[in-house]
Amino acid sequence: MKAKGKVVVTKAKKKKAVARARIRPAESFSYKINGKPAELYENELVRETALIPIRIADDVLGGRSKFDIDVNISGGGIAGQAGAAQTAVAKALVGITESDKLKQAFLSYDRNLLVDDVRKKEPKKYLRKGARAKYQKSYR
């Protein structure tokens, strides 16, 4: 997490997806995912999952947060992008507000809001169907 004056930049990873969030104080609330307003983002799962930290922050801090949030997501699939965006936004909100109350609210909701999920897909092995599955053998 880098603090540039009043701007906080964070990144988060889940599976193969990487999300970078930039947050700064503003006169009104603005939330963009890959340059588009979050309400117009085409993928519903990513849109709704990425809004969870905003809803929690509004409940804890009272009222609508007045921040300008830009999230860039690349790589991975739908679920990975949703989880990475959610974590990046939560980290950025904690970084800019410096609120322990908000941090505890995020941790009590889901630990993965503040901690990257490091699990990756196990690679397929040679002479096997997948990472662990083996071909069946018949002894007839």
Side-chain angles (χ1 to χ4, degrees):
M1 175 175 28
K2 299 176 187 172
K4 299 178 185 173
K6 295 249 181 189
V7 177
V8 174
V9 179
T10 60
K11 76 169 183 67
K13 293 181 180 181
K14 176 150 182 170
K15 297 183 180 179
K16 294 273 187 180
V18 179
R20 293 171 189 85
R22 189 176 68 220
I23 187 170
R24 60 181 166 256
E27 297 297 319
S28 63
F29 179 76
S30 169
Y31 188 28
K32 292 183 178 180
I33 300 174
N34 289 344
K36 299 176 189 172
E39 298 82 31
L40 301 178
Y41 196 71
E42 62 269 4
N43 193 317
E44 186 178 349
L45 177 69
V46 175
R47 182 177 59 232
E48 292 302 319
T49 305
L51 286 172
I52 290 173
I54 304 295
R55 292 187 184 123
I56 294 172
D58 289 345
D59 290 342
V60 172
L61 301 176
R64 189 65 161 166
S65 305
K66 294 192 175 180
F67 295 116
D68 206 5
I69 303 171
D70 293 320
V71 181
N72 290 323
I73 312 169
S74 62
I78 295 168
Q81 287 186 354
Q86 179 181 7
T87 304
V89 170
K91 284 181 180 180
L93 283 168
V94 169
I96 200 160
T97 60
E98 298 175 353
S99 170
D100 286 334
K101 192 175 178 184
L102 181 62
K103 185 175 181 179
Q104 289 304 319
F106 284 150
L107 288 174
S108 67
Y109 180 80
D110 184 11
R111 181 175 178 270
N112 285 329
L113 281 176
L114 296 178
V115 179
D116 284 351
D117 191 355
V118 297
R119 296 175 297 165
K120 305 281 186 218
K121 181 182 178 293
E122 188 175 347
K124 179 189 176 300
K125 313 301 190 297
Y126 59 91
L127 299 178
R128 292 189 177 181
K129 289 164 79 171
R132 305 263 172 127
K134 298 173 181 72
Y135 289 107
Q136 287 186 347
K137 181 169 173 133
S138 172
Y139 289 100
R140 285 190 287 143

